[in-house]
Amino acid sequence: MVIILSNIYVSHPLLKENTVLRRAYQENIFINCLNKNCLVVIPTGLGKTIVALMLAMHRLSEIPNSKIVFLAPTKPLVEQHFNSFLELTNIDSEMMQSITGSTPPDKRKMLWNDIKVAFMTPQVLQNDLISNLYSIQDVVLIIFDECHRAIGDYAYCYIAQKYMELSESPQILGLTASPGSTELKINEIKTNLFIDHIEIRTDSDRDVKPYIHKVDKEWIKISLPPEYLEIKKLVIDKLKTVYKFLKKSDLLNSSDVNKVSRKDLLKIDKLINKRISSARDDDVKYEMFMAKKYNANAIRLSHIDELIETQGVNALKAYMDKNIAKIKSRTANKSLIELFSDYDFKRVIELVDLVQEKGLVHPKLKKLKEILHDQIIENQESRILVFCHYRDSVKNIVHYLKSDPEIKTHKFVGQRSSNTDKGLTQKQQIKLLQDFKEGTYNTLIGTSVAEEGLDIAECDMVVFYDVVPSAVRSIQRRGRTGRKKEGKVIILMAKGTRDEGYYWAEKRKEESMNRNLKKLKDSDSLPKEQASLTQYINTPDISNSENKINLKDRFQEKNDKVIIICDNRETKSPVVRKLSLMDVEIKLEQLPVADYIISETSGIERKAAQDFTDSIKDGRLFKELFELKKLFKKPILILEGDLFTSTIHQSALYGAISSIILNLGINVYRTADTNETSLFIYHLAKKAQVTSKGDFKIRFEKKPFEDSELLEFIIAGIPGINALRAKKLLMEFKSLHKIFNAEIDELLKTEKIGKKIAEEIFRISRYEYDKEF
């Protein structure tokens, strides 16, 4: 049974009567997406959910005992689509479920058996597919909302591949308003989602124009005060010095600050790492390590310049304080310490403190307050979204606006929390959006988490507190208004700053995207003779069977699969996904020790290069490996990536690796990247399980510590102390009491203990606990 369109409403047994209004462009898109993996590019606010709804009802009617999965990147967006289907369809509410990370795996498995339509975040479905929690064999359509995310290692890519492999009748629908500014990116999305047809609609299309609401755009330029310009000048002068060194080292083509972007500096870091790895001469290595420090500070200085230009002194002060706290807690690296010890940079810190004491906020704040106040006075029912790139700025803006009783404001940010800034859970985000709609708040100050897909009909104004150089993000921001009525977009821009540069960059990228979309539209256009809906009533389901067969041939079916138990936190890395695409049965668990377990005797700890060096610095490496050694007879450490590009000296790295092999007896293997890591783990597991049958059981009961081991464990908890140094200290002093009462010169007599470590032991042993219960 197919969708039938009456004169006014879409009619279908699974749809409630007189709820879904007929729009010609939605009809055309629906018809052209039948039996195809389709990418739909459509402006925000034009009912892409309705297209998804029509196709979903068609597939459920066409194929008995089938399921639909609707994916969206965030829980608020999942809930939004779920509520739309509840409102518009006749499907029993118990057969439609919103399934997110807060739903336990056992309950997800139980719910899956009875549902017809599942609304999910991709991370949840990915984890369930990896652990084979349930089958997606009977899923006949997966809808990927905000499908411009289907690039790189994002979960959409893995899900699409597994779906095309496992489903008996697969069909994919990708939805987005902004697929990307380059043809390369658009083609990457097409490839990753197995797209064979594209439907594109723009604001200028004849069938779309009647439904477009007018959105006025206004750019407001703001001048920086002299105090801000003074700070900026000092930062730029310092940046010029750094760029000159990098140019002299043949790493930059120009030392002109206007010609070097943040992207250039990030590319330089990779180039420096490559040169360090290939260098055989010590002088060359020394120069590159110096360049690495300079480049790290160039990135910091560039960020400081951006904060003072576009965010203001409060955001900059928060950034400075975070770094000063790192230095005081001895967690800062050498480049950061050197920058903050620099004479000229100390002057920058002093000026920031002085300007903040004066209460001299960024002029954008004053202008924003004025705009919001006037808008709300003019229209008490107004709803306003303000977008800001940085969390610290969001906090500052909310605090500043609280002095105006007309502006009822709240932050809208992600879940990540810090000591100074608490995030919002997805449940809190959903509640906040409802409060916004109902008028409890008339203004939300949001980061990128508020950019995608949220359908807030009441929103009649969007303000860009800062400019983003991304066409995708800019389109997403603008799309939050003008959805059901006329709207307004205001962009605040600091004169003569990167705000202006970002504006032109975004404009060029959006123009490029429109050109590429037109090109794609011309090459992959609608059929010359538009098919009628009735043609599809008796059309047999072809469901892309050829693609499915070709994909099936790429995967071998085996009865005896390799089993690997993975720590569920490892799903953030591509390794687990790559293993899942091999002939492997993955079991996800929260492991107290190890990242991967391949047999009862073998556990694997995986350390990417940065994590390895960080874990040496903060002292957790040997604690983790000590536990690994205690629980497994054959412990393995995989070191992934280039280790010798960090600021830690080579001899220290070799010393740590030698200690792991010789003192802990752990096997160490280096891999180039996640591809090599996943292949190595697969072959290790295959070899380990070749003689064993069935499941293996892992017991995590901890062996009791011997007293001597306990002493080693306690001493190894001091920063800078590894297992070898802990043993040397205990052999020298015999007891904790004597170690902690020793003077610095006494500690220095111990082999492998230098002045810095001796001072740290002395400091820690006399430090008074200051936490409140």
Side-chain angles (χ1 to χ4, degrees), residues 542-552:
I542 58 171
S543 296
N544 233 2
S545 57
E546 275 191 50
N547 282 349
K548 185 179 72 171
I549 292 165
N550 291 336
L551 278 165
K552 285 271 187 187

Side-chain angles (χ1 to χ4, degrees), residues 309-326:
E309 279 186 348
T310 66
Q311 306 300 314
V313 74
N314 289 331
L316 179 53
K317 181 71 167 69
Y319 175 75
M320 295 291 206
D321 287 347
K322 281 177 191 173
N323 285 299
I324 290 167
K326 280 184 187 177

